[in-house]
């Protein structure tokens, strides 16, 4: 939902709950929230006036969120006498009225018109027949309900304040069926048209009559009233709008969760047999996932469980925040003084997260011989589920390296290296990096946790394909920050080749689309001797330089 002015923004914002701010790569700040009763995540932006600004913000917002629909909501001036103040005009067409050719014969219009999709057209007609003002607070409903006009709108970059001006006469001459005028709808709908899957609509409340009395009416509160009416009708349309390809009678799909086993098993039952885990009054709805995203392991007397979960609040399993849930259970009496306490290690990791600006701590509990730590996991506002991990971005089976995918991975892992550098500065190391340990919080990547940072290094730790040489049994070197460098190099090698580095495997030779600097960086990170590898800071700087270089690599044919 896009607005041009602050008064329009506030009219929509008051309908949103659970709002958090998102910064787009271009720096645009967006409020993302939900409206009670609607099955949509709503991203709200203030574009500023003019069609150009509106188009630029619309395009970047659609791309960032993968939007299903775009509603442009705000105020407009009336061009017809039968359109009253407070009425709502929904654009059946949007004319870009500046299109034309001027010659000695005068002005010849070259109309540039946009129309909404047929299903959206029908939704508007249905909404104005059935409870059009259901989202208008009762104390703001006027005695005479505003009318909804489904008619054309003229849009240009001129603020019209005189109905007998040359611009007004030109609109009456060439776009005679337009009943309202604004300065942004053409830009918004043009940007939406470039994204074929996005349905768009411009909804404008009438705040003036495009005459010299505009300033007086604005001062009397006409813009607030018009914006309030437009926002209410926009939400009414959104109530019946469903994602493309989904029948109206079909409810949006719920999360993919584990559904086998009892609904709320008690005691030490495995997490893969229970969909809901309760931790001191807080409930978590568990998700299935690749790799170790739903996993249970035993190491001697220590039982570890972990899963991606939805944080269930007040019994509402439909929406909420997400968490990376980890639980450690000590199955015998806790160790005495000086012994390693795995429960205390989990508590120390929570302190590290707070100190190093790591994942936010959602919950930390310790009861008897069990400790549980829940860390914030980024959510996907479009799909209504947890964000995916680097696992989904790596090629399998091997495919030629793609510059755009490589740029995303290199830039993202450079951000991960920044966190690892802070961890190293506190004399800790992660030592358990793998694709599912890196979460894609676009356009960034973040760590799901701090791995083995608070667990003392030992031979044989982190078994699996991303185990560094110094972590294997019989190695003389001690795992540490250089281990993180090796594992970052292994992730990059996998991104380049589709394979996991193994002893004796020939180095990656590269292709025309892969900068030599990246090949050398990966080769240096994968050296057997930890002392011969670059430190985390050097690796991070090399990745940032490579990311800049990748932006200039021509796309493959």
């Amino acid at each position: 939902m896009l607005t041009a002015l602050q008064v329009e923004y506030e009219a929509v914002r008051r309908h949103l709950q659970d709002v958090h701010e998102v910064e787009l790569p271009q720096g645009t700040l967006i409020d993302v929230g939900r409206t009670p009763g609607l099955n949509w995540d709503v991203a709200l932006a203030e574009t500023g006036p003019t069609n150009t600004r509106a188009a630029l913000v619309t395009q970047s917002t659609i791309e960032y969120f993968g939007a299903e629909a775009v509603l442009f909501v705000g105020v407009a001036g009336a061009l017809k006498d039968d359109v009253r103040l407070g009425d709502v005009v929904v654009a059946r067409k949007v004319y870009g009225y500046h299109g034309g050719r001027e010659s000695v014969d005068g002005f010849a219009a070259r109309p540039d018109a946009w129309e909404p999709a047929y299903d959206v057209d029908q939704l508007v007609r249905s909404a104005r027949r059935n409870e059009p003002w259901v989202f208008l607070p009762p104390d703001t409903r006027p005695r005479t309900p505003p009318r909804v006009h489904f008619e054309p709108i003229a849009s240009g970059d001129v603020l019209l304040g005189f109905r007998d001006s040359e611009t007004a006469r030109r609109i009456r001459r060439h776009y005679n069926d337009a009943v309202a005028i604004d300065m942004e709808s053409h830009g918004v709908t043009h940007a939406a048209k470039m994204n074929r899957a996005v349905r768009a609509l411009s909804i404008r409340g009438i705040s003036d009559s495009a005459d010299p009395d505009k300033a007086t009416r604005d001062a009397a509160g006409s813009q607030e009233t018009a914006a309030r009416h437009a926002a209410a009708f926009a939400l009414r349309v959104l109530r019946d709008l469903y994602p493309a390809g989904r029948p109206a009678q079909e409810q949006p799909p719920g999360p993919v969760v584990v559904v086998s086993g009892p609904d709320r098993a008690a005691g030490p039952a495995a997490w893969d047999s229970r969909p809901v885990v309760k931790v001191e009054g807080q409930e978590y709805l568990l998700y299935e996932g690749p790799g170790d995203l739903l996993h249970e392991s035993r190491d001697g007397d220590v039982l570890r469980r972990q899963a991606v979960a939805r944080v269930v609040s007040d019994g509402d399993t439909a929406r909420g925040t997400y968490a990376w849930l980890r639980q450690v259970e000590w199955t015998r009496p806790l160790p005495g003084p000086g012994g390693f306490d795995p429960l205390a290690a989990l508590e120390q990791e929570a302190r590290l997260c707070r100190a190093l600006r790591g994942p936010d701590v959602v919950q930390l509990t310790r009861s008897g011989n069990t400790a549980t730590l829940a860390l914030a996991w980024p959510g996907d506002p479009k799909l209504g589920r947890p964000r995916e991990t680097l696992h989904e971005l790596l090629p399998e089976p091997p495919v030629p390296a793609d510059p755009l995918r490589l740029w995303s991975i290199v830039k993202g892992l450079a951000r991960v290296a920044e966190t690892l550098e802070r961890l190293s500065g506190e004399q800790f190391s992660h030592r358990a990096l793998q694709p599912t340990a890196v979460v894609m919080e676009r356009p960034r990547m973040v760590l799901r946790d701090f791995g083995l940072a608070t667990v003392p290094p030992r031979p044989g730790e982190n078994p699996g394909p991303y185990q560094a040489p110094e972590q294997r049994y019989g190695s003389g070197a001690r795992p540490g920050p250089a281990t993180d460098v090796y594992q970052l190099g292994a992730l990059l090698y996998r991104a380049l080749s589709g394979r996991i580095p193994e002893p004796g495997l020939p180095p990656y030779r590269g292709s025309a689309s892969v900068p030599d600097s990246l090949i050398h960086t990966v080769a240096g990170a994968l050296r057997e001797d930890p002392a011969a590898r670059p430190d985390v800071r050097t690796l991070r700087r090399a990745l940032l330089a490579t990311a800049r270089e990748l932006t200039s690599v021509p796309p493959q044919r």
Side-chain angles (χ1 to χ4, degrees):
M1 299 185 77
L2 305 171
T3 64
L5 307 176
Q6 182 178 353
V7 64
E8 302 164 345
Y9 183 91
E10 292 171 350
V12 177
R13 175 64 175 79
R14 63 171 53 98
H15 291 277
L16 301 185
Q17 296 180 357
D18 303 325
V19 176
H20 63 280
E21 190 175 69
V22 173
E23 182 177 358
L24 270 57
Q26 298 84 356
T28 307
L29 298 178
I30 310 289
D31 274 350
V32 178
R34 295 188 52 76
T35 296
L38 298 184
N39 291 315
W40 287 94
D41 292 304
V42 178
L44 174 61
E46 182 181 345
T47 68
T50 76
N51 283 297
T52 301
R53 287 178 60 98
L56 291 172
V57 174
T58 301
Q59 179 63 22
S60 60
T61 307
I62 289 173
E63 289 180 352
Y64 185 86
F65 291 104
E68 284 270 0
V70 171
L71 301 184
F72 189 56
V73 182
V75 303
L79 294 174
K80 303 287 187 180
D81 292 334
D82 62 337
V83 179
R84 303 189 301 251
L85 297 183
D87 283 359
V88 171
V89 176
V90 183
R92 183 169 56 82
K93 292 181 183 178
V94 173
Y95 293 123
Y97 65 77
H98 279 122
R101 179 176 185 271
E102 197 133 29
S103 66
V104 293
D105 297 325
F107 180 82
R110 293 181 176 177
D112 183 5
W114 167 91
E115 297 182 26
Y118 180 72
D119 61 335
V120 178
D121 173 295
Q122 293 301 298
L123 279 178
V124 172
R125 297 179 188 276
S126 173
R128 68 174 180 173
R129 291 193 303 265
N130 303 298
E131 298 180 326
W133 307 116
V134 65
F135 287 95
L136 200 61
D139 58 340
T140 63
R141 295 175 185 171
R143 293 182 179 178
T144 303
R147 294 178 298 171
V148 179
H149 307 265
F150 192 31
E151 300 292 347
I153 288 177
S155 183
D157 289 340
V158 174
L159 182 62
L160 189 62
F162 180 38
R163 277 208 186 180
D164 201 31
S165 68
E166 177 57 35
T167 297
R169 289 196 295 269
R170 179 176 296 169
I171 293 172
R172 285 196 297 270
R173 185 181 311 121
H174 299 287
Y175 311 100
N176 187 256
D177 56 345
V179 304
I181 184 171
D182 72 7
M183 299 173 62
E184 301 86 18
S185 288
H186 180 59
V188 171
T189 54
H190 189 73
K193 186 168 59 175
M194 295 172 61
N195 298 268
R196 296 182 179 181
V198 177
R199 290 167 291 175
L201 202 59
S202 180
I203 302 172
R204 319 300 286 168
I206 298 302
S207 62
D208 61 81
S209 298
D211 57 22
D213 291 334
K214 172 177 168 54
T216 303
R217 292 193 174 101
D218 289 351
S222 66
Q223 284 193 335
E224 287 81 357
T225 300
R228 188 165 59 244
H229 293 175
F233 190 76
L235 292 170
R236 174 60 186 83
V237 172
L238 195 60
R239 187 182 76 173
D240 291 342
L241 184 66
Y242 287 83
R246 182 178 302 156
Q249 66 271 19
E250 179 185 335
Q251 293 301 313
V256 180
V257 299
V258 183
V259 295
S260 60
D263 185 41
R264 280 173 174 76
W271 280 7
D272 61 2
S273 66
R274 50 195 297 199
V276 177
V277 172
K278 193 169 185 177
V279 181
E280 293 194 2
Q282 177 63 65
E283 291 184 341
Y284 296 92
L285 189 63
L286 305 186
Y287 280 73
E288 292 178 331
D292 64 342
L293 294 184
L294 178 61
H295 184 67
E296 182 173 305
S297 63
R298 182 180 291 274
D299 182 9
D301 297 308
V302 179
L303 179 65
R304 289 185 169 87
R305 300 178 174 125
Q306 59 191 34
V308 181
R310 183 192 297 276
V311 183
V312 182
S313 302
D314 300 325
D316 175 18
T317 60
R319 292 286 168 179
T321 56
Y322 304 97
W324 174 236
L325 189 64
R326 295 160 66 203
Q327 191 174 81
V328 176
E329 184 179 343
W330 185 263
T331 58
R332 64 171 181 160
L334 293 175
F340 171 65
D341 183 352
L343 309 188
L346 207 60
E347 295 172 326
Q348 185 180 15
E349 182 172 348
R351 291 192 291 271
L352 268 180
C353 289
R354 295 186 178 107
L356 300 181
R357 305 189 301 278
D360 291 335
V361 177
V362 176
Q363 187 181 20
L364 174 65
T365 65
R366 180 167 179 170
S367 177
N369 64 343
T370 302
T372 306
L373 174 62
L375 301 175
W377 185 289
D380 188 322
K382 176 193 172 186
L383 300 178
R385 68 185 186 191
R387 288 281 189 187
E388 296 177 328
T389 66
L390 182 59
H391 176 275
E392 283 74 28
L393 202 58
L394 294 176
E396 190 176 340
V399 296
D402 172 74
L404 180 58
R405 178 178 53 82
L406 264 185
W407 177 86
S408 299
I409 294 173
V410 170
K411 189 72 179 288
L413 290 183
R415 182 63 180 264
V416 169
E418 181 181 344
T419 304
L420 296 174
E421 186 179 341
R422 292 200 300 268
L423 195 62
S424 174
E426 297 294 326
Q427 309 305 311
F428 291 97
S429 54
H430 190 287
R431 311 195 316 277
L433 293 172
Q434 56 181 310
T436 54
V438 180
V439 186
M440 293 190 294
E441 188 182 18
R442 290 185 173 90
R444 305 180 302 160
M445 291 185 187
V446 296
L447 289 171
R448 71 184 187 189
D449 57 31
F450 284 147
L452 299 175
T454 57
V455 177
R458 63 172 184 171
E461 68 177 15
N462 189 42
Y466 293 93
Q467 187 182 53
E470 61 271 21
Q471 292 179 301
R472 300 174 190 139
Y473 286 102
S475 173
R478 181 180 174 86
T483 306
D484 295 347
V485 172
Y486 178 91
Q487 291 171 351
L488 282 175
L491 291 173
L492 289 165
Y493 187 92
R494 168 84 183 277
L496 289 169
S497 67
R499 295 174 294 175
I500 297 169
E502 300 174 358
L505 195 67
Y508 178 73
R509 297 300 181 186
S511 67
S513 62
V514 179
D516 290 341
S517 60
L518 180 57
I519 297 173
H520 295 319
T521 297
V522 172
L526 292 177
R527 289 179 178 138
E528 286 284 315
D529 182 4
R533 300 170 197 154
D535 60 22
V536 181
R537 175 176 294 186
T538 302
L539 177 64
R540 175 177 64 83
R541 290 175 174 173
L543 293 181
L544 289 174
T546 299
R548 288 191 294 269
E549 192 174 351
L550 280 168
T551 60
S552 62
V553 174
Q556 287 184 324
R557 295 190 176 184

